[in-house]
Amino acid sequence: MSRFSEPQHPVFRQLNASIGFDWRLGPYDVSLSRAHAAMLAQQGIIGTEDGEALQRALDLVEQELQDGTFPFEPDDEDVHMAIERRVIELAGPVGGKLHTARSRNDQVATDMALFTRAHAQAAADAIRTLMRALIEVAERHLDWPMPGYTHLQRAQPVYLSHHLLAYVWMLARDLERFAAVEAATARLPLGAGALAGVNFDTDRRRVARELGFGGVAENSIDAVSNRDFVLDYLAAAATCGTHLSRLGAEIVLWSSSEFGFAEVSDAWASGSSIMPQKKTPDAAELLRAKAPRIAGHLVALHGVMHALPLTYNKDMQEDKEHLFDAVDTLELCLAAATGMIEGIAFDRERLAAAASDEFPAATDVADLLVRRGMPFRESHGVIAGLVKRAVDSGRTLSQLTREELAEHSALLDDEYYTVLNGTTWLESKDSEGGTSQRRVREQLERARALL
Ligand code: ARG
């Protein structure tokens, strides 16, 4: 029997059904159902034999899902109903006992928490793999000078290792964010029923233990309304994607003939359909472009959840495609970034030539005056005057004469030329976290300790 006298409109079915994407929750839904059925039997809510029959049917369902032989049907609205239907087909009427003391509302929240937790762990694993790759490349380029940039203008020379390690620390913060996502999935929604709790003497803690939750959600209303953990995953993924996009953007720049700093391996590059000479770092460009897609999913789900009255609303079904696409995009990008970094080749000479530009040493010359007692703000002005003089006359800073220096400051002597000589710029940046080799070695050790 049904309370409806008219079949659903086909367009409504199409709008309403989530089976087209939530089939991915299948394995989690089976684990949940196993734990739930075991608890029902344990508590005497269903008979032991009924419990065993349910477990046998769920074993078969799991097998069918694994082999790809699960018979999805056009009438299946979502994965929860499809699995329950199949359990009834396989076990007979006793299969109808599976849905005792649960609702799709606490069920879907639990499946989503399990899925989110598993993929927060997968993201963390993939991030660690990328960090390892970056650390290895940094180690191999410990003392390769390159220009450091601000505003994409050459600013101060740094070691390539130092620059690459910057990404390791960004990713280390991503790891912390994904650990927080995992923590946000730690409380079991199941047992909340539709919203108010259930009429049976269930043991939620037992189900929580079995499914790897640290405890149970304290409030049944909150339990079925909560999708914070999905927002948390999307926020962590958006930030991580943004980090990868900056790496991608730099690889694109470095691979251009204008920079000529790096070349990605052939396995990570494309040719052109018309220009035979071209080799383009498409993977790096896509890392650049995928990030806003993940951020878009975060914004979209905030749009779904904001102002939504408690508790479950069908709106919340929209959480899935945003999460699934973000998961797929992030995991793909992390794997691509790792492969690209493992195969990248740097050009020592080009990097060094770009880093030996004298103007980046202007700050060091300003510091020389500071060591002689001049306030930094004043020395900054003196050196700016020298830079202008050099630029206006088409010379480098070291081509200015002693007489010209004297016109700008009495404190300038031959030491000025020594500072500009270059070799000491990088090693003088020996403050904690700086680019000197000693400090980069320290960093490398700390970074390795993270893994
Ligand atoms: N397919 C639904 C979703 O993804 C499952 C929950 C349905 N609950 C309900 N009361 N209609 O959100």
Side-chain angles (χ1 to χ4, degrees), residues 117-130:
R117 186 197 301 155
H119 285 280
Q121 285 164 356
D125 288 344
I127 288 169
R128 274 186 219 99
T129 308
L130 174 55

Side-chain angles (χ1 to χ4, degrees), residues 65-122:
L65 285 170
Q66 248 174 38
D67 307 339
T69 55
F70 183 92
F72 288 101
E73 276 176 16
D75 270 0
D76 293 332
E77 180 186 312
D78 60 24
V79 68
H80 323 291
M81 294 178 86
I83 289 178
E84 193 188 337
R85 168 191 55 77
R86 187 64 184 147
V87 166
I88 294 170
E89 281 168 12
L90 292 166
V94 63
K97 297 196 175 186
L98 179 58
H99 210 55
T100 311
R102 76 176 190 189
S103 149
R104 269 191 297 158
N105 296 353
D106 56 351
Q107 197 179 346
V108 70
T110 304
D111 283 357
M112 286 296 278
L114 289 168
F115 180 94
T116 303
R117 186 197 301 155
H119 285 280
Q121 285 164 356

Side-chain angles (χ1 to χ4, degrees), residues 103-239:
S103 149
R104 269 191 297 158
N105 296 353
D106 56 351
Q107 197 179 346
V108 70
T110 304
D111 283 357
M112 286 296 278
L114 289 168
F115 180 94
T116 303
R117 186 197 301 155
H119 285 280
Q121 285 164 356
D125 288 344
I127 288 169
R128 274 186 219 99
T129 308
L130 174 55
M131 288 167 76
R132 219 168 277 126
L134 283 162
I135 289 171
E136 266 166 38
V137 178
E139 259 168 350
R140 289 205 300 274
H141 301 85
L142 194 74
D143 61 348
W144 290 34
M146 73 177 285
Y149 294 82
T150 61
H151 312 270
L152 200 56
Q153 307 286 328
R154 284 180 195 165
Q156 295 182 323
V158 293
Y159 288 115
L160 176 55
S161 49
H162 192 48
H163 191 101
L164 292 171
L165 285 171
Y167 284 100
V168 171
W169 298 106
M170 290 150 79
L171 292 165
R173 292 193 297 276
D174 289 329
L175 280 183
E176 289 171 9
R177 273 181 279 270
F178 279 108
V181 175
E182 259 194 81
T185 66
R187 303 210 153 248
L188 175 76
L190 202 70
L195 78 154
V198 296
N199 305 328
F200 297 90
D201 178 25
T202 52
D203 183 353
R204 295 182 67 203
R205 278 156 207 278
R206 178 199 153 106
V207 177
R209 271 195 308 277
E210 197 150 325
L211 292 175
F213 287 84
V216 300
E218 298 282 354
N219 179 308
S220 62
I221 293 176
D222 177 43
V224 291
S225 307
N226 177 21
R227 293 295 182 276
D228 292 1
F229 51 87
V230 183
L231 291 169
D232 291 344
Y233 176 94
L234 292 174
T239 302

